[in-house]
């Protein structure tokens, strides 16, 4: 079954069922820890996007910036568990004053992707990233978020004037030899449909990026997005049996964990959910998890993974 059809089928199946109130959620074991996320700037961001599912912003300090020593500890644990790839996110990772040291140390032991809004990547930083990638044994990838092909579409979610700044950042990275993945949140600007996806592709190409790399992500209805649009409805949750024969291998939490200044969480989505906190160390994060948060429904029926 083609992927889009498969997820359409899962959505329809979920809508047409009745769930008893006491139906238990599925439990998911960690297959292997392949991907480690680091919430390097916590919930601190230079933007306060209306659809941010962890309500990041200049005033959100529910997760502090990570100390360099906390990142070092996480990298050491990751070596022990054979982690294959790393992701930095926030908030906005380039707000961290020690971001270059963190990037270098992480690249010493594996490929790294950084999720950013691009606003702080000036010419000096773009050049440094290109040089670092060139001299590194492992790959360095950038993901830059954009939510429309016009200022009206994007700025309605990300803030006035951000469209041009984001595009400038993407072009700057390209000029330095880096082709970032442009990440688009679907259902904003109608980006869920094929026509709009094609429009995004052509738009990015029209800005001089010969080979656009795009990633489309369904929105999670939590954080600020819950207030902007709506939260989850009662039927939007997972119960035992939903994962079918394949278990949860399509879910990123079957092979990832997230480290923040506040401890270890199953994934990048649930860091503001106190119940989701697994403990202080990656060893605590080796436990199985209950997929009892409504956001797990989006991962399952829309096939969402935050990895590239
Ligand atoms: S969506 Fe990204 S750029 Fe926007 S507030 Fe959240 S973390 Fe910051
Ligand atoms: S929100 Fe998604 S990635 Fe996180 S625990 Fe639930 S299914 Fe896994």
């Amino acid at each position: 079954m083609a992927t889009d059809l498969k997820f359409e089928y899962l959505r329809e199946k979920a809508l047409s069922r009745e769930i008893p109130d006491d139906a238990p959620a599925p439990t998911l074991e960690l297959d292997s820890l392949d991907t480690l996320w680091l919430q390097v700037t916590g919930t601190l961001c230079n933007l306060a996007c209306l659809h941010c599912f962890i309500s990041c912003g200049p005033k959100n300090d529910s997760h502090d910036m990570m100390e360099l020593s906390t990142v070092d500890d996480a990298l050491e644990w990751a070596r022990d568990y054979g982690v294959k790839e790393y992701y930095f996110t926030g908030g906005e990772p380039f707000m961290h004053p020690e971001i270059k040291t963190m990037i270098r140390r992480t690249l010493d032991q594996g490929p790294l992707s950084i999720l950013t809004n691009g606003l702080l990547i000036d010419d000096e930083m773009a050049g440094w990233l290109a040089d670092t990638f060139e001299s590194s044994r492992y790959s360095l990838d950038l993901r830059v978020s954009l939510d429309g092909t016009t200022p009206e579409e994007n700025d309605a979610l990300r803030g006035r004037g951000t469209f041009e700044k984001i595009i400038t950042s993407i072009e700057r990275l390209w000029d330095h030899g880096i082709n970032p993945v442009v990440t688009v949140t679907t259902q904003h600007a109608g980006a869920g449909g094929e026509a709009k996806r094609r429009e995004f592709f052509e738009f990015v190409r029209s800005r001089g990026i010969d080979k656009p790399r795009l990633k489309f992500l369904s929105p999670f209805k939590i954080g600020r997005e819950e207030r902007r649009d709506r939260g989850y409805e009662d039927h939007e949750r997972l119960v035992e049996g939903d994962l079918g024969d394949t278990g949860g291998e399509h879910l990123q939490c079957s092979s990832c964990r997230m480290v923040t200044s506040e401890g270890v969480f199953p994934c990048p989505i649930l860091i503001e959910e106190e119940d989701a906190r697994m403990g202080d160390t990656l060893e605590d994060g080796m436990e199985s998890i209950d997929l009892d948060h409504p956001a797990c429904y989006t991962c399952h029926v829309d096939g969402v993974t935050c990895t590239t």
Side-chain angles (χ1 to χ4, degrees):
M1 194 182 295
T3 305
D4 283 354
L5 284 176
K6 178 181 149 199
F7 291 118
E8 187 61 35
Y9 167 75
L10 285 172
R11 269 191 292 276
E12 281 185 14
K13 192 173 157 209
L15 273 174
S16 61
R17 67 192 182 156
E18 289 190 8
I19 309 173
D21 287 346
D22 59 353
T27 297
L28 188 67
E29 302 286 337
L30 183 68
D31 284 343
S32 61
L33 185 59
D34 296 336
T35 304
L36 189 69
W37 287 82
L38 297 139
Q39 189 84 13
V40 292
T41 40
T43 42
L44 186 66
C45 191
N46 50 348
L47 297 182
C49 306
L50 295 183
H51 61 329
C52 184
F53 60 78
I54 42 178
S55 304
C56 292
K59 294 182 183 159
N60 186 345
D61 58 0
S62 70
H63 288 252
D64 287 332
M65 282 196 185
M66 291 176 77
E67 302 276 344
L68 189 54
S69 60
T70 313
V71 171
D72 285 342
D73 287 347
L75 291 175
E76 195 175 327
W77 299 333
R79 269 198 300 277
D80 294 344
Y81 286 106
V83 167
K84 297 188 176 79
E85 57 171 356
Y86 300 86
Y87 282 78
F88 283 3
T89 186
E92 171 47 51
F94 287 98
M95 289 178 83
H96 202 296
E98 293 178 286
I99 187 68
K100 287 182 178 176
T101 307
M102 290 175 173
I103 290 173
R104 271 198 222 97
R105 290 186 186 175
T106 306
L107 280 173
D108 280 345
Q109 64 182 58
L112 170 64
S113 297
I114 306 174
L115 278 56
T116 173
N117 59 39
L119 267 59
L120 298 177
I121 302 178
D122 58 13
D123 211 46
E124 186 277 329
M125 181 58 85
W128 183 86
L129 289 166
D131 291 346
T132 303
F133 177 39
E134 193 62 35
S135 59
S136 171
R137 193 172 143 213
Y138 295 104
S139 64
L140 173 62
D141 211 359
L142 272 288
R143 287 241 308 265
V144 181
S145 301
L146 178 72
D147 277 307
T149 52
T150 64
E152 290 73 26
E153 286 175 345
N154 176 85
D155 294 4
L157 292 168
R158 296 196 159 263
R160 194 160 51 165
T162 54
F163 179 80
E164 281 306 330
K165 290 178 183 165
I166 295 166
I167 296 295
T168 301
S169 172
I170 292 168
E171 290 172 343
R172 184 177 287 133
L173 285 166
W174 175 257
D175 289 344
H176 281 275
I178 296 174
N179 186 7
V181 176
V182 177
T183 307
V184 181
T185 314
T186 60
Q187 294 172 18
H188 310 297
E194 189 56 39
K196 191 69 184 178
R197 289 179 186 222
R198 168 63 48 188
E199 188 183 317
F200 257 98
F201 183 86
E202 294 302 343
F203 168 72
V204 176
R205 197 155 60 176
S206 76
R207 301 297 295 235
I209 317 298
D210 289 347
K211 295 177 183 160
R213 300 168 70 209
L214 300 177
K215 178 176 175 72
F216 294 88
L217 273 173
S218 296
F220 290 98
K221 301 177 191 308
I222 55 177
R224 214 175 278 122
E225 170 66 2
E226 181 174 356
R227 298 190 285 283
R228 187 195 74 85
D229 185 17
R230 68 169 178 88
Y232 287 95
E233 294 176 9
D234 285 350
H235 74 275
E236 293 176 313
R237 64 190 171 95
L238 297 180
V239 295
E240 269 181 7
D242 278 346
L243 300 181
D245 295 341
T246 55
E249 63 185 27
H250 61 296
L251 301 174
Q252 60 178 331
C253 48
S254 68
S255 60
C256 87
R257 288 296 181 256
M258 159 63 91
V259 180
T260 84
S261 61
E262 308 302 312
V264 176
F265 292 77
C267 66
I269 300 142
L270 300 181
I271 67 158
E272 288 219 299
E273 309 298 317
E274 185 52 35
D275 290 354
R277 187 179 182 280
M278 302 184 77
D280 295 325
T281 68
L282 264 190
E283 189 176 353
D284 301 323
M286 293 298 117
E287 298 290 320
S288 62
I289 52 175
D290 291 333
L291 303 176
D292 56 0
H293 194 282
C296 302
Y297 174 88
T298 298
C299 292
H300 177 56
V301 301
D302 287 351
V304 178
T305 172
C306 303
T307 52
T308 303

